[in-house]
Amino acid sequence: MNEASLSASVSRRSQVQRQAAGLLGKDEPGPFVSINPEGVAPGVIVCDHASNAVPRSLGRLGLMDNTLDRHIAYDIGAAGVAARLSESLDMPAVLAGYSRLVIDLNRPVDDFTCIREISDGVVIPGNRRLESEARRLREQALHETYHAEVTRAITAKRRHVDAPAIVSVHSCTDQMRGRKRPWHIGVLFNEDDRLSASVIRLLRAQNPDLTIGENQPYSGLDAYGFTIETHALPAGLPNVLFEVRQDMIADPAGQKRFAGILARALTPALAEPGQLCLFHPLSSKGPL
C-alpha cells in the first residue's frame, strides 16, 4: 500500500495470503489489510478501494505507472482516512490490498464493471479478453478472500454487539465531466437512513464551513455497492458510506483532518438510542 504510516498498525493473516498462491508472490502483500481487529467500538470499517497495487504476475496490467496513480486505480486518500478513523474510534477495519483495476471488490463478480476493460476512457490491456480461468483466479484470491475477512470481522463483532454498524470509506474526484463537485463529504444511504441522518446532522452542525452531500455525489438508493449490499442490508445492520473529496485528503494532513471530522460525528451518532439495532424494511419498515 502507499500509506507508509499504516505499517505499524497493520496485522496480516499469513494463512489467508497463502490462499492467493498463483496470483501473488510469497513476498507480496496479502489480499487485505486488517487494522485494529480487537477494537471495541460497535462497528466495522471497510475500505474497498484502498490500494493501487497490482500483483507482479499481472505485469501492471500493461499500464503506465502514472495511470495507477489516478482515481481509476484506487480511492486516493481513503486508506489513510480509514486507518486513522479506525484508531480514533477504536474500531476494526478491513482494507483492500490491491487495485480496483485488478478486480473491483465493491462489484459483484458477474458485473462487467468488476474487471473493467476500459475505465474513464483508459483501456486496461491486462483485462482485455481475459480467459475464464484467469478471471476466476482473481475472484478467488482477492474478491472472495476480502469479503470472507469482512464477514469474519462482522461475525466477531456480533458476538458482543447485536447490530454493529458498517462504515464504508471511499473517496471521489473533485471534478466530473468538467464540473467542480461542491461536496466535501458525501454521505450515502439506502432505505435505512438512521445512522446517515444522524451523521449528516452532526457533520453540518460541527462543520459549517463544509458542504455535506446527502446521497451525493452518488445515491445509495440507486446503487449502494456490493459490500454494503452484501454485508449490511440483508442482515439489517446499520450502515453509512462516506465519499470524501480526493483533493481534500490527498496528503496525510488532510487524511488526519477528515478522519477527525468523521470520528467527531460518528461517535455521538453511534451512541444515540435506536442506532445499534436491526432494520428490516420488508417487514416493519423500521428497527427491530
Side-chain angles (χ1 to χ4, degrees):
M1 293 181 62
N2 288 342
E3 307 288 352
S5 61
L6 304 187
S7 58
S9 62
V10 166
S11 169
R12 299 188 187 278
R13 291 176 173 79
S14 60
Q15 70 273 25
V16 175
Q17 184 169 334
R18 298 286 73 78
Q19 293 177 11
L23 182 68
L24 305 179
K26 292 182 178 180
D27 60 337
E28 289 188 280
F32 61 83
V33 172
S34 177
I35 297 174
N36 195 14
E38 304 302 323
V40 300
V44 174
I45 297 166
V46 293
C47 190
D48 305 323
H49 303 144
S51 175
N52 62 352
V54 175
R56 282 196 303 269
S57 63
L58 300 183
R60 303 187 68 81
L61 298 171
L63 297 168
M64 301 292 290
D65 288 359
N66 61 349
T67 302
L68 293 173
D69 293 332
R70 296 183 53 197
H71 73 95
I72 64 172
Y74 73 128
D75 281 358
I76 296 168
V81 172
R84 290 168 175 82
L85 188 61
S86 171
E87 180 181 2
S88 296
L89 297 179
D90 193 20
M91 184 178 289
V94 182
L95 281 62
Y98 287 87
S99 172
R100 65 192 302 174
L101 293 181
V102 178
I103 190 166
D104 193 326
L105 304 176
N106 200 32
R107 300 289 186 274
V109 294
D110 59 354
D111 192 304
F112 79 96
T113 64
C114 189
I115 301 179
R116 290 179 177 269
E117 295 188 14
I118 300 176
S119 182
D120 198 14
V122 176
V123 175
I124 316 301
N127 291 349
R128 298 194 69 191
R129 303 182 183 89
L130 200 62
E131 295 182 357
S132 59
E133 184 177 349
R135 178 180 292 270
R136 183 61 183 149
L137 180 60
R138 296 190 199 182
E139 293 172 5
Q140 291 177 323
L142 302 180
H143 198 283
E144 293 177 10
T145 304
Y146 173 82
H147 285 288
E149 176 62 11
V150 173
T151 297
R152 187 211 63 78
I154 294 171
T155 300
K157 185 58 62 176
R158 293 194 76 174
R159 297 190 185 105
H160 308 284
V161 183
D162 287 340
I166 310 304
V167 179
S168 184
V169 178
H170 291 257
S171 68
C172 60
T173 59
D174 61 322
Q175 294 190 46
M176 179 58 69
R177 300 184 180 92
R179 298 186 65 180
K180 185 78 172 179
R181 284 172 164 161
W183 309 284
H184 299 96
I185 302 172
V187 182
L188 276 59
F189 54 91
N190 195 266
E191 290 184 347
D192 180 5
D193 65 349
R194 291 172 295 159
L195 184 54
S196 61
S198 296
V199 167
I200 290 169
R201 171 176 49 81
L202 288 161
L203 283 173
R204 287 173 173 168
Q206 295 168 353
N207 308 277
D209 57 324
L210 298 181
T211 300
I212 308 301
E214 185 172 339
N215 263 342
Q216 296 285 358
Y218 316 108
S219 174
L221 293 169
D222 298 332
Y224 209 174
F226 181 78
T227 300
I228 293 290
E229 290 176 355
T230 298
H231 297 284
L233 300 188
L237 300 180
N239 59 87
V240 63
L241 187 151
F242 294 110
E243 290 276 1
V244 185
R245 217 171 67 192
Q246 289 172 357
D247 60 323
M248 309 300 294
I249 56 172
D251 58 32
Q255 294 157 22
K256 181 179 180 180
R257 178 193 174 202
F258 274 82
I261 289 169
L262 298 183
R264 284 191 293 274
L266 278 166
T267 298
L270 289 169
E272 291 179 359
Q275 290 289 7
L276 301 177
C277 55
L278 299 177
F279 181 92
H280 201 310
L282 297 180
S283 57
S284 64
K285 296 291 182 182
L288 293 178

